[in-house]
Amino acid sequence: MNDRAKAAPTPAGSLNSDPALGADMRTAIERFLIEYARCLDEDRLEAWPDFFLADACYQVLSRENVEHGLPAPIIYHYSRGMIEDRVTSLRDALTYEPVYTRHMVSNVYVVGVEAGVYRVTSNYAVYHTTVEGRTDLYSVGRYDDAIVVRDGQLKFKTRTVIADTFAIKNNMALPL
Amino acid sequence: MTEANGAAAVPGENFTRVPFALFSDPATFARERDALFRGPTWNYLGLAVEIPNPGDYLLGYVGDVQVVVNRTPAGGIAAFENSCAHRGAQLVRRTRGNAAQHAHTCPYHQWRFDTAGALLSVPQEHGVKGKGGMPVDFDKRRHGLRTLRVETYKGLIFGTFAPEVPSLYDYLGPKIRPEIDRIFDRPVVVLGHWRQAIPANWKLYLENVKDPYHASLLHLYHTTFGIYRATMSGRVIMDDTCGHSVLRTADIGENPTEMKALYKDIDKYRPDYKLKDPSLFDTKPDYDDRVTNMIMTVFPNLMLGQVASTFQTRHVRPKGVDSFELYWTYLGFASDDAAAREGRLRQANFVGPAGYISLEDGEAGRLVQRGTHGLNDRASVVEMGGHGAIADQDTLATEVAVRGFWKRYHELMRAAV
Ligand code: FES
Ligand SMILES: [Fe+2]
């Protein structure tokens, strides 16, 4: 028996080298992913919902559950309204540790485009830094995204975060 | 009342004073391993539905000791320490799976064990080319894996290392069993697992779930949206040992004016607050008892919980004196239709590592671990609900079950000295 942890499925085929995608679109997608990370790292939570369509779905899944085919999500916000509700809760209701966050996004990979929906995967590493300046690696994993162009702007139709760090460091108040 | 030496710290004043040292003293942690987890307790190992077929196994924990829980060829359940009988190597490396040919082979020197822990074979037992090998008096029957006694109740698997502990049925007792019956009288399905690595002593989580007082104050999300309010009817019950408890909340007999008065000084309470998308509350109740919130604990470290339409087991797995893993098993019912199943997945937003309610309990643990650090001459004040007899109460403004936990804890720790 191969005893190594089963790798999460990596989609085959890439448009990265396909001239049909166009260098401009590749650049735009990368820029969009970086803008998302900057928005969270600069604590502009109120702008976070703007990255999503009205009927978008933002999910965080545990890699352990994904590999075992179990559906329970860690976060399951299936509308932009729910994404906005998380922002309000984070600002006004929830008690959680104040930290600085730092998102590193890499290995951006455009898997394909169909009917105007770009399938994109990327890796992330998110660090948390306490109010006393101590930094820990909070979570690593992967984004699986469906991105569309709406009124000249890129938006997430779905953003699924699959956390390799499925033993969540304390809790997950802030989005990844 | 408290002593500078943390190892000797004991809860005082009829269990209304809990020395902070109990959350950070390494000697206490080491004694808990013997007095509680290897002592006269039943420890939650998993659910029978997680290992349905012969050869299926999962990894569980008794305290911080890893154990393997197996479905045997005959359909029974057997459990043993995940530590080879030879030189102690970790035997099973995956968190769950199916053992080929109903055997586990140690990766180090390939000793082979059956799913009940018996030693089947030892490579080179009789040496190589007539030299070496095990001594002639080596008897494989005496070198099996160290096993636990296993019993189940309604599909919950428990194990114990102690020979003298009563049956699981009696250990749970007549006040705890009905809460298990209520949920497990229909077939359950596992919808997933969550893990939280919480930087706190494991007992702080037990205190948290035995404390209904905090729920309406820390968790303003579910106060605001009616899953739980201090004015709901609530009840705290304990078994005879006071180590197990049940906290139930039902939305009956409430008065909104009273609610306003109770929260008049709390800025975080926002009755004007409206969700943009409240659809996650659209689930049908699973029972007609109007219970919105139930948390049961089985001493020492299992919880069975209901929050709205979510049902979960939560297992507190100590990882050291100042950290534990909270291991959630998120449940649905086999009878769920598509809408009910979707509702349970939606309400995962309430519980688990990122849940609007549960994420704050991790933070509560961190806050107390941080806040008590280095203050070994102090103790917490646990008097909500009075300092008299430790007995059931019909209110949520009480910490009596926290005192009950410490009473049972102290009895077992003292008995082991
Ligand atoms: S330690 Fe397991 S076979 Fe040697
Ligand atoms: Fe809580």
Side-chain angles (χ1 to χ4, degrees):
Chain A
M1 184 180 77
N2 177 1
D3 214 28
R4 284 170 54 228
K6 189 172 49 181
T10 304
S14 166
L15 286 183
N16 286 310
S17 54
D18 182 346
L21 173 66
D24 287 356
M25 194 58 200
R26 257 196 307 277
T27 308
I29 287 171
E30 281 178 16
R31 207 184 154 83
F32 179 62
L33 299 185
I34 291 167
E35 279 168 358
Y36 176 100
R38 283 166 57 96
C39 170
L40 294 180
D41 291 347
E42 292 166 7
D43 191 29
R44 290 184 282 110
L45 279 179
E46 286 72 12
W48 175 58
D50 293 342
F51 288 85
F52 295 90
L53 291 179
D55 60 350
C57 183
Y58 171 78
Q59 284 194 92
V60 179
L61 306 177
S62 146
R63 181 168 179 166
E64 178 178 43
N65 286 336
V66 171
E67 290 193 351
H68 289 101
L70 296 171
I74 294 173
I75 295 179
Y76 179 25
H77 294 348
Y78 48 85
S79 70
R80 184 180 151 136
M82 291 192 72
I83 293 169
E84 290 174 15
D85 288 335
R86 188 161 199 99
V87 174
T88 312
S89 301
L90 285 166
R91 290 292 192 222
D92 296 338
L94 292 171
T95 299
Y96 56 98
E97 184 180 9
V99 290
Y100 300 107
T101 72
R102 189 68 64 192
H103 287 63
M104 309 294 170
V105 179
S106 64
N107 301 45
V108 177
Y109 192 84
V110 182
V111 179
V113 54
E114 216 183 294
V117 180
Y118 292 84
R119 299 267 162 201
V120 181
T121 74
S122 55
N123 289 347
Y124 74 83
V126 175
Y127 294 84
H128 279 183
T129 299
T130 69
V131 292
E132 291 181 290
R134 284 171 175 265
T135 302
D136 279 312
L137 179 56
Y138 172 70
S139 181
V140 295
R142 159 182 131 217
Y143 291 118
D144 276 1
D145 299 323
I147 298 171
V148 297
V149 183
R150 189 63 52 91
D151 301 328
Q153 290 195 311
L154 297 191
K155 300 277 178 193
F156 288 115
K157 186 176 160 57
T158 65
R159 166 150 261 209
T160 303
V161 186
I162 301 175
D164 291 351
T165 312
F166 55 79
I168 306 297
K169 300 268 170 68
N170 199 357
N171 57 22
M172 189 178 288
L174 297 164
L176 289 172
Chain B
M1 162 207 62
T2 60
E3 304 183 26
N5 175 2
V10 294
E13 299 185 26
N14 203 13
F15 304 97
T16 62
R17 295 292 181 278
V18 181
F20 291 173
L22 288 173
F23 303 119
S24 56
D25 173 48
T28 299
F29 184 78
R31 279 204 309 159
E32 288 168 354
R33 199 181 273 136
D34 296 327
L36 304 183
F37 299 111
R38 299 196 87 90
T41 56
W42 281 102
N43 293 272
Y44 173 74
L45 300 179
L47 297 173
V49 291
E50 297 180 272
I51 46 170
N53 303 308
D56 286 352
Y57 66 84
L58 60 81
L59 291 191
Y61 279 89
V62 174
D64 61 348
V65 170
Q66 213 172 44
V67 298
V68 186
V69 187
N70 299 271
R71 181 72 68 174
T72 63
I77 296 172
F80 43 73
E81 292 170 352
N82 192 16
S83 173
C84 181
H86 179 215
R87 296 225 311 265
Q90 185 188 38
L91 183 67
V92 172
R93 289 170 287 174
R94 314 291 298 251
T95 56
R96 65 207 81 158
N98 186 276
Q101 279 123 42
H102 308 288
H104 295 286
T105 303
C106 179
Y108 201 172
H109 313 89
Q110 313 289 321
W111 286 26
R112 210 157 169 266
F113 303 90
D114 72 14
T115 51
L119 177 56
L120 297 172
S121 60
V122 173
Q124 302 167 21
E125 184 178 357
H126 304 297
V128 177
K129 295 184 186 164
K131 293 184 186 167
M134 297 301 274
V136 285
D137 62 354
F138 180 77
D139 181 354
K140 288 205 285 293
R141 284 168 304 182
R142 298 179 55 182
H143 294 274
L145 300 164
R146 197 152 68 170
T147 57
L148 292 83
R149 192 173 136 207
V150 171
E151 290 185 13
T152 65
Y153 183 72
K154 298 277 160 100
L156 290 112
I157 310 168
F158 289 78
T160 184
F161 284 111
E164 74 276 18
V165 70
S167 72
L168 176 63
Y169 184 90
D170 290 335
Y171 183 82
L172 296 170
K175 290 167 87 176
I176 300 301
R177 285 194 309 265
E179 296 297 334
I180 301 178
D181 297 344
R182 174 174 174 267
I183 294 173
F184 286 87
D185 268 355
R186 326 173 227 183
V188 298
V189 290
V190 172
L191 300 180
H193 299 282
W194 299 312
R195 300 169 189 260
Q196 289 175 259
I198 297 180
N201 183 271
W202 67 277
K203 299 185 294 297
L204 289 173
Y205 197 80
L206 270 295
E207 282 202 333
N208 176 279
V209 293
K210 287 169 177 284
D211 157 21
Y213 173 43
H214 87 277
S216 62
L217 297 163
L218 176 65
H219 304 313
L220 271 291
Y221 181 92
H222 78 333
T223 300
T224 307
F225 298 112
I227 304 173
Y228 189 106
R229 288 182 298 269
T231 47
M232 284 177 163
S233 86
R235 186 159 166 73
V236 175
I237 65 170
M238 286 165 281
D239 72 318
D240 289 347
T241 69
C242 302
H244 315 318
S245 58
V246 179
L247 279 49
R248 300 180 125 211
T249 315
D251 59 347
I252 28 190
E254 272 195 285
N255 170 350
T257 348
E258 197 188 355
M259 188 69 190
K260 273 196 200 108
L262 265 178
Y263 282 83
K264 69 178 183 342
D265 297 326
I266 297 174
D267 303 338
K268 255 178 84 180
Y269 179 58
R270 301 258 309 268
D272 56 315
Y273 186 69
K274 291 263 182 310
L275 286 174
K276 292 230 163 86
D277 185 349
S279 62
L280 78 172
F281 285 87
D282 297 341
T283 54
K284 288 203 203 88
D286 294 286
Y287 302 92
D288 51 17
D289 51 17
R290 303 185 71 175
V291 170
T292 58
N293 210 287
M294 189 287 292
I295 183 105
M296 182 197 88
T297 65
V298 176
F299 192 88
N301 61 343
L302 172 70
M303 279 111 250
L304 174 64
Q306 174 194 348
V307 175
S309 297
T310 73
F311 298 88
Q312 346 88 32
T313 64
R314 304 180 210 172
H315 189 214
V316 175
R317 298 172 164 182
K319 297 293 178 194
V321 69
D322 57 2
S323 83
F324 66 92
E325 177 177 287
L326 185 63
Y327 181 74
W328 299 72
T329 303
Y330 193 63
L331 301 172
F333 295 113
S335 56
D336 287 346
D337 60 16
R341 180 62 49 83
E342 174 65 13
R344 292 194 211 289
L345 299 183
R346 291 178 170 193
Q347 292 198 348
N349 289 307
F350 296 151
V351 291
Y356 286 128
I357 296 150
S358 303
L359 76 85
E360 294 178 311
D361 293 318
E363 176 63 358
R366 189 192 70 82
L367 288 169
V368 181
Q369 192 72 25
R370 176 63 260 176
T372 57
H373 182 87
L375 303 176
N376 288 344
D377 59 341
R378 279 186 53 197
S380 52
V381 177
V382 190
E383 294 192 3
M384 210 21 115
H387 44 51
I390 299 176
D392 299 354
Q393 293 189 5
D394 279 317
T395 175
L396 298 170
T398 179
E399 295 170 302
V400 70
V402 177
R403 292 171 58 212
F405 172 82
W406 288 111
K407 174 174 176 286
R408 184 64 183 145
Y409 173 89
H410 180 59
E411 275 169 12
L412 294 188
M413 290 289 274
R414 193 185 47 198
V417 169

